[in-house]
Amino acid sequence: MRKSIFFLLIIVAFQGLWSAPAKKIVIDINQVKATVNPSMWGVFFEDINFAADGGIYAELIKNRSFEFYKPLMGWKEIKEGESATGKLLIINRGKTHSSNPRILQISFSATKGSYGISNEGFRGIGVRKNELYDFSMLACTSSGSIDSVKIQLVTPENQLIGETTLNRLSSEWKKNEAIIQSNSTESNARLNIRFYGQGVVEVDMVSLFPQKTWKNRKGGLRADLVQLLYDLQPGFIRFPGGCIVEGNDLANRYQWKHTIGPVETRQQNFNLWNDNFKEPFNAPDYFQSYGLGFYEYFLLCKDIGAEPLPILNCGMGCQWKTAELCDTLHLEEYIQDMLDLIEFANGSSTTRWGKIRADMGHPEPFNMKMLGIGNEQWLEQYIERYTIFANVLKQKHPEITLISSSGPSPDDSRFHFAWKVLSDLKADIIDEHYYMSPEWFLSNATRYDSYNRSGPKVFAGEFAAHVANKWELRLEANNWEAAIAEAAFMTGLERNADIVTMASYAPLLANINAWQWFPNCIWFNNLESYGTPNYYVQKMFANNKGTHVVELLQNGSVIAGNDSLYANAVIDKNKRILIVKIVNNSQLQQTLNFQIKGVKSLRKSASTETMISSDLSVSNSVEQPLKISPVRKQLNIDTKNPSFTLGARSFTVLKINYTQ
Ligand code: AHR
C-alpha cells in the first residue's frame, strides 16, 4: 500500500515537472487577416427556461391577469376565521377588452376574519430582508362594504414577513398601489391579498416588483441578471428566440405588436416550451405575459451597448412541431409586421409606429440595423418565403442587413441545400446552429478556414457543446470540458472574422427550478444567479474582441488542434494592444515561445486572464459561482520573444501593449 502511494507521488511529481519542448509561435502584426466586427460576440435571448417571466422580467406574481388556460393557476383561495366565506368567479370581458379579457370577481363575507387569494409566484417568490416591493392591482368594488385590504408576504410555513394595507377601493376601475417591506430573506414566499368586511370586488393585473431592479426602473428587469449581461459586453442581443418566434403553430407565433404599449393591454400567449415535454421538463404554467416586450428588448440593448437583432416569424410554425405554413399568397400581415417593426425601431416620432415608441418613453430611434427572417427554418418552404420577404425588405429598406436560416444542423442535407440556394440569392448573413459534442467543437476549429470568401457571411447564431443528456446532470453539463471546447472552437470563429461576423452561445438564461433545456449560459433561482464556465469563455472573447485579426502561425500553419493547442491573435489598433487567445487542451502544461513581428517595442506591462482546471467535470454553482472563472495576472515583458507556459487544460487571454 505504502509502496503504491510512493510510486503515485513520483508519477505526479514527474508529470508536474515534465512539459513538451517550447513551441515557436510567430505573430505578425502587419499581416492583418480580417477586421473584427465590433458587434461580433453577442447573446441569444429566448424565453425558454423561464428566461422572461420568472426570470429577467422582475414581476413576482405568476398569472397576474388570470389569462392562463386554467385561470386560477398559481392562485389559491384563502380564508381566515370560521365564519369567513366567499367565492371566486372568472369573468370574460372580451367584447370590450380583447387583449386582456379575464378578470377575477371575488364575492365574500368576512366580518370576522378575512377572505382572499394567495399567489405562489414562479416556483415561489424571492424576497430579501429589508428590501421594498411595489404592489399594484387593478380593482373595482361593485357592492358591499369592504373594511380593509391587507397585502401580505408569508413564508411557506405561513409566517408573516411583510404587510401593508391598501387604501379604500373605488367603485371605478383604478390601479391601487402600495409598498411592502420584507423583514426576512425568503426564496419561496407567497403573496396574500386579504379582504375584510363583505362585498364584491373585481381585480386584474395583480403585480409585485422589487424596487431594486436594473436602473431601478419601476416594473423593470432583474438587476443581477442584467448585470451579468452588461459585464459580458455583448455586441448584439438576438431576441426573442428561438422556437418561440415560430410558435407551436402560427396562432402561437410571437407577434411583437402584442408586446408593446401599457402592460395591461399586452395580449398574453402561451409559451411553446410549456407542454412539450414530460416530467420534469413540462411546465404547464409557462406563458408569455409580454411584460418584457419589444420596447423593453430595445431598451435593454441600448442599456448594455448591444445592437438589437430581432428575429420575426416568416409565415412558418415550428418545423419540429406542427410545421404549419402560411400560404405564400397571404403573407402580407407577416411582411407588414417586419416593415412596421423597422418603423417602430427607427422611424421618427411622427410616424405611426415611431409615435408609439415615443409615447412609451423613447422619442429617439433605436437605430436597428439587422433583422432575422424566420428562426430555425429549413428546406424549400423556407426559401420560398425568405425570397418574398427579402425582395420587399431589400427594396424598401436596403439599409437593413437580413439574417437567413440554414436549419437546425451544421452539416446535413438541409444545411447544404440552404447554403447553396441562399448563396445564389446573395443572402447577407446565414445563421448556423450547432448543439454538438465537445469533440465536434474541437475538430471544427478549422471549419471556417476554407469557407468561400465571396459568399454570404456567417452568423453562428446558436451554439453550445453538449456533454451529457441526463437531466439530473443539467447543472453539471455546463462544465469545463464543454467550455474549453467552445473556447477552442471560438479561436477558429475569430480567426475567420472576415466571414463569421457574429456568434452567440445558446440558450442564455435558465431558471434552476423551471427549465426545459440544458446546458445554458447563466443559471438563476429566485434570489441568486451565476455565470457558467461557458459564460466566462464568452466574456473573455467579448471583452477582448480587438479590431483586427493578425497572423499567428506555428511552423507556417494556423494553430487549431496540433498538440491540443488552439490559438488566434487580434490587435486593438486604436489602443495598440496585442491580444492572443490560446487554449491548451492537453493534460500537460506547454510552453510557447512567441516571436512578435511588426512592433517597434513591447511595453513592459502585460496581463493574462486564465481559466484552468485539470478536472474537466468541474462546473460553477449558486454556492460556488466563480469556481471556474478567469484569474488575472500582471506580467512584465522585456523582449519581443517572450515565453509563456500554459497550464494543462487552460484557456488564456494574453494582452501585451506595443508601440509601432
Ligand atoms: O436554443 C434552444 C432551441 O434550439 C431554439 O429555440 C431553437 O432555435 C433551436 O432548435
Side-chain angles (χ1 to χ4, degrees), residues 166-295:
L166 279 191
N167 290 331
R168 189 159 283 280
L169 299 180
S170 143
S171 56
E172 302 285 308
W173 276 99
K174 209 184 116 207
K175 184 171 180 178
N176 300 271
E177 293 176 281
I179 294 170
I180 183 164
Q181 182 168 30
S182 177
N183 60 30
S184 176
T185 295
E186 171 61 58
S187 64
N188 197 14
R190 301 184 62 94
L191 183 92
N192 291 342
I193 305 173
R194 292 188 181 279
F195 297 91
Y196 296 81
Q198 56 81 29
V200 179
V201 56
E202 291 174 342
V203 301
D204 197 9
M205 293 300 288
V206 184
S207 171
L208 185 74
F209 272 91
Q211 287 199 344
K212 279 195 186 158
T213 57
W214 170 251
K215 288 186 182 275
N216 294 328
R217 288 197 185 113
K218 259 187 178 288
L221 304 184
R222 228 176 103 161
D224 59 333
L225 293 177
V226 182
Q227 187 64 49
L228 280 163
L229 300 187
Y230 180 84
D231 294 344
L232 206 51
Q233 297 175 18
F236 64 88
I237 304 180
R238 168 180 164 176
F239 59 88
C243 292
I244 64 155
V245 169
E246 304 153 20
N248 243 348
D249 57 13
L250 289 170
N252 177 229
R253 74 187 189 275
Y254 193 100
Q255 298 191 52
W256 73 268
K257 288 175 182 166
H258 292 176
T259 76
I260 57 169
V263 285
E264 61 277 13
T265 64
R266 299 186 189 179
Q267 188 176 329
Q268 184 186 269
N269 196 359
F270 81 90
N271 189 305
L272 139 155
W273 298 103
N274 168 314
D275 60 0
N276 286 295
F277 304 104
K278 295 199 172 74
E279 285 284 359
F281 304 89
N282 71 332
D285 56 344
Y286 199 0
F287 285 75
Q288 304 174 80
S289 73
Y290 294 137
L292 169 60
F294 260 41
Y295 177 82

Side-chain angles (χ1 to χ4, degrees), residues 100-163:
N100 176 12
R102 291 189 190 141
I103 54 169
L104 176 66
Q105 187 183 75
I106 305 169
S107 313
F108 68 99
S109 170
T111 39
K112 284 188 194 136
S114 70
Y115 181 84
I117 50 174
S118 175
N119 190 275
E120 67 188 23
F122 297 92
R123 311 296 194 269
I125 293 177
V127 287
R128 286 185 192 282
K129 186 170 179 172
N130 295 334
E131 289 197 358
L132 299 174
Y133 295 83
D134 287 331
F135 171 83
S136 66
M137 174 173 81
L138 296 178
C140 91
T141 56
S142 49
S143 68
S145 126
I146 299 175
D147 299 335
S148 68
V149 185
K150 283 193 177 152
I151 314 300
Q152 303 175 330
L153 284 169
V154 293
T155 65
E157 297 75 35
N158 235 358
Q159 207 189 326
L160 190 65
I161 54 171
E163 187 175 56

Side-chain angles (χ1 to χ4, degrees), residues 37 39-40 236 309 370 403 429 458-461 500-504:
N37 173 9
S39 314
M40 173 147 183
F236 64 88
L309 169 45
M370 301 175 282
I403 313 293
I429 303 185
V458 174
F459 170 28
V500 183
T501 55
M502 292 189 297
S504 43

